[in-house]
Amino acid sequence: MNSPDASDSTGFPAGEVARMLDRLARLVLRLNTPGELSLTTASTLATLDRSGPCRLTDLAARQGVTQPAMTQLVSRLQESGLAERAADPQDRRVVLVRITAAGRAALAERRRARGERLAVLLTELDEAERAALTAALPAIDALTRLLPDDAPASPGVPVPEPSRH
Protein backbone atom coordinates (compact mmCIF):
# COMPACT_ATOMS: atom_id res chain seq x y z
CA MET A 1 0.00 0.00 0.00
CA ASN A 2 2.98 2.31 0.41
CA SER A 3 4.21 1.79 -3.14
CA PRO A 4 4.77 4.94 -5.23
CA ASP A 5 1.78 4.21 -7.46
CA ALA A 6 -0.62 3.68 -4.55
CA SER A 7 -1.86 7.29 -4.46
CA ASP A 8 -2.87 9.84 -7.04
CA SER A 9 -1.84 13.50 -6.92
CA THR A 10 -4.44 14.22 -4.22
CA GLY A 11 -3.18 11.47 -1.96
CA PHE A 12 -6.19 9.26 -2.70
CA PRO A 13 -5.04 5.60 -2.71
CA ALA A 14 -6.12 4.92 -6.31
CA GLY A 15 -3.71 2.00 -6.66
CA GLU A 16 -5.07 0.31 -3.56
CA VAL A 17 -8.66 0.90 -4.68
CA ALA A 18 -7.80 -0.64 -8.07
CA ARG A 19 -6.29 -3.69 -6.35
CA MET A 20 -9.35 -4.12 -4.13
CA LEU A 21 -11.67 -3.74 -7.13
CA ASP A 22 -9.66 -6.48 -8.89
CA ARG A 23 -10.15 -8.74 -5.86
CA LEU A 24 -13.85 -7.86 -5.77
CA ALA A 25 -14.17 -8.69 -9.47
CA ARG A 26 -12.59 -12.11 -8.80
CA LEU A 27 -15.04 -12.67 -5.94
CA VAL A 28 -17.97 -11.77 -8.20
CA LEU A 29 -16.70 -14.21 -10.83
CA ARG A 30 -16.51 -16.98 -8.23
CA LEU A 31 -20.16 -16.41 -7.23
CA ASN A 32 -21.17 -18.18 -10.45
CA THR A 33 -22.04 -21.84 -10.33
CA PRO A 34 -21.65 -24.29 -13.21
CA GLY A 35 -24.46 -24.07 -15.72
CA GLU A 36 -25.22 -20.41 -15.04
CA LEU A 37 -24.82 -17.69 -17.60
CA SER A 38 -21.18 -16.85 -18.24
CA LEU A 39 -19.92 -13.40 -17.32
CA THR A 40 -19.76 -12.39 -21.01
CA THR A 41 -23.27 -13.67 -21.66
CA ALA A 42 -24.68 -11.96 -18.59
CA SER A 43 -22.83 -8.74 -19.35
CA THR A 44 -24.14 -8.74 -22.93
CA LEU A 45 -27.71 -9.37 -21.77
CA ALA A 46 -27.38 -6.67 -19.10
CA THR A 47 -26.14 -4.20 -21.72
CA LEU A 48 -29.11 -5.00 -23.95
CA ASP A 49 -31.45 -4.74 -20.97
CA ARG A 50 -30.12 -1.30 -19.97
CA SER A 51 -29.49 0.16 -23.40
CA GLY A 52 -32.21 -1.40 -25.50
CA PRO A 53 -31.75 -2.84 -29.00
CA CYS A 54 -28.25 -2.43 -30.36
CA ARG A 55 -26.28 -3.02 -33.54
CA LEU A 56 -24.04 -6.06 -33.30
CA THR A 57 -20.93 -3.96 -34.04
CA ASP A 58 -21.80 -1.52 -31.25
CA LEU A 59 -22.51 -4.37 -28.86
CA ALA A 60 -19.13 -5.95 -29.65
CA ALA A 61 -17.37 -2.63 -29.00
CA ARG A 62 -19.21 -2.11 -25.70
CA GLN A 63 -18.30 -5.61 -24.54
CA GLY A 64 -14.70 -5.34 -25.71
CA VAL A 65 -14.85 -8.35 -28.02
CA THR A 66 -14.43 -8.83 -31.75
CA GLN A 67 -17.40 -8.69 -34.07
CA PRO A 68 -17.03 -12.40 -35.00
CA ALA A 69 -16.99 -13.34 -31.31
CA MET A 70 -20.11 -11.26 -30.67
CA THR A 71 -21.80 -12.78 -33.73
CA GLN A 72 -21.21 -16.25 -32.26
CA LEU A 73 -22.45 -15.18 -28.82
CA VAL A 74 -25.58 -13.55 -30.24
CA SER A 75 -26.25 -16.70 -32.30
CA ARG A 76 -26.05 -18.80 -29.11
CA LEU A 77 -28.27 -16.30 -27.26
CA GLN A 78 -30.78 -16.42 -30.11
CA GLU A 79 -30.75 -20.25 -30.23
CA SER A 80 -31.46 -20.35 -26.49
CA GLY A 81 -34.21 -17.72 -26.79
CA LEU A 82 -32.40 -15.12 -24.64
CA ALA A 83 -31.96 -12.55 -27.43
CA GLU A 84 -33.25 -11.96 -30.93
CA ARG A 85 -32.23 -10.18 -34.07
CA ALA A 86 -34.64 -7.78 -35.76
CA ALA A 87 -34.50 -5.23 -38.55
CA ASP A 88 -34.07 -1.63 -37.45
CA PRO A 89 -37.38 0.14 -38.09
CA GLN A 90 -35.45 3.26 -39.15
CA ASP A 91 -33.18 1.42 -41.60
CA ARG A 92 -34.30 -2.05 -42.69
CA ARG A 93 -30.74 -2.89 -43.81
CA VAL A 94 -29.51 -2.69 -40.20
CA VAL A 95 -29.97 -5.62 -37.84
CA LEU A 96 -30.49 -4.89 -34.15
CA VAL A 97 -30.02 -7.30 -31.29
CA ARG A 98 -32.43 -7.15 -28.37
CA ILE A 99 -33.00 -9.07 -25.17
CA THR A 100 -36.12 -11.23 -24.94
CA ALA A 101 -38.40 -11.76 -21.96
CA ALA A 102 -36.61 -15.08 -21.40
CA GLY A 103 -33.28 -13.24 -21.44
CA ARG A 104 -34.55 -10.79 -18.81
CA ALA A 105 -35.79 -13.70 -16.70
CA ALA A 106 -32.44 -15.52 -16.96
CA LEU A 107 -30.60 -12.34 -15.98
CA ALA A 108 -32.93 -11.80 -13.02
CA GLU A 109 -32.46 -15.41 -11.88
CA ARG A 110 -28.68 -15.08 -12.13
CA ARG A 111 -28.77 -11.91 -10.03
CA ARG A 112 -31.06 -13.56 -7.47
CA ALA A 113 -28.86 -16.66 -7.14
CA ARG A 114 -25.67 -14.61 -6.88
CA GLY A 115 -27.33 -12.38 -4.30
CA GLU A 116 -28.14 -15.44 -2.22
CA ARG A 117 -24.56 -16.70 -2.40
CA LEU A 118 -23.24 -13.24 -1.51
CA ALA A 119 -25.65 -13.00 1.42
CA VAL A 120 -24.08 -16.14 2.89
CA LEU A 121 -20.63 -14.54 2.66
CA LEU A 122 -21.89 -11.30 4.18
CA THR A 123 -22.99 -13.16 7.31
CA GLU A 124 -19.29 -13.80 7.95
CA LEU A 125 -18.63 -10.05 8.24
CA ASP A 126 -19.26 -8.14 11.43
CA GLU A 127 -21.89 -5.42 11.64
CA ALA A 128 -19.37 -2.59 11.13
CA GLU A 129 -17.99 -4.22 7.97
CA ARG A 130 -21.49 -4.71 6.54
CA ALA A 131 -22.34 -1.09 7.40
CA ALA A 132 -19.14 0.08 5.67
CA LEU A 133 -20.09 -1.86 2.52
CA THR A 134 -23.58 -0.38 2.58
CA ALA A 135 -22.16 3.12 3.05
CA ALA A 136 -19.83 2.59 0.06
CA LEU A 137 -22.64 1.63 -2.34
CA PRO A 138 -23.42 5.20 -3.52
CA ALA A 139 -19.73 5.84 -4.25
CA ILE A 140 -19.40 2.53 -6.11
CA ASP A 141 -22.50 3.37 -8.12
CA ALA A 142 -21.14 6.84 -8.94
CA LEU A 143 -17.80 5.32 -9.99
CA THR A 144 -19.48 2.84 -12.35
CA ARG A 145 -21.43 5.66 -13.99
CA LEU A 146 -18.27 7.59 -14.93
CA LEU A 147 -17.69 5.36 -17.94
CA PRO A 148 -21.03 5.12 -19.76
CA ASP A 149 -22.41 1.83 -21.08
CA ASP A 150 -22.01 3.03 -24.65
CA ALA A 151 -18.27 3.64 -24.19
CA PRO A 152 -16.26 0.87 -25.87
CA ALA A 153 -14.60 -1.56 -23.46
CA SER A 154 -11.11 -1.16 -24.82
CA PRO A 155 -7.77 -0.33 -23.22
CA GLY A 156 -7.22 2.24 -25.97
CA VAL A 157 -10.27 4.28 -25.01
CA PRO A 158 -9.39 7.26 -22.84
CA VAL A 159 -11.18 7.55 -19.54
CA PRO A 160 -13.08 10.84 -19.21
CA GLU A 161 -11.23 13.67 -17.52
CA PRO A 162 -12.16 13.94 -13.85
CA SER A 163 -14.33 16.90 -12.99
CA ARG A 164 -13.06 19.30 -10.37
CA HIS A 165 -15.59 19.95 -7.62
Side-chain angles (χ1 to χ4, degrees), residues 95-120:
V95 174
L96 298 176
V97 179
R98 66 175 156 226
I99 191 170
T100 63
R104 281 190 185 85
L107 199 54
E109 174 56 25
R110 180 180 191 266
R111 289 173 178 153
R112 185 204 58 74
R114 290 163 64 91
E116 284 181 0
R117 287 189 290 283
L118 183 60
V120 171

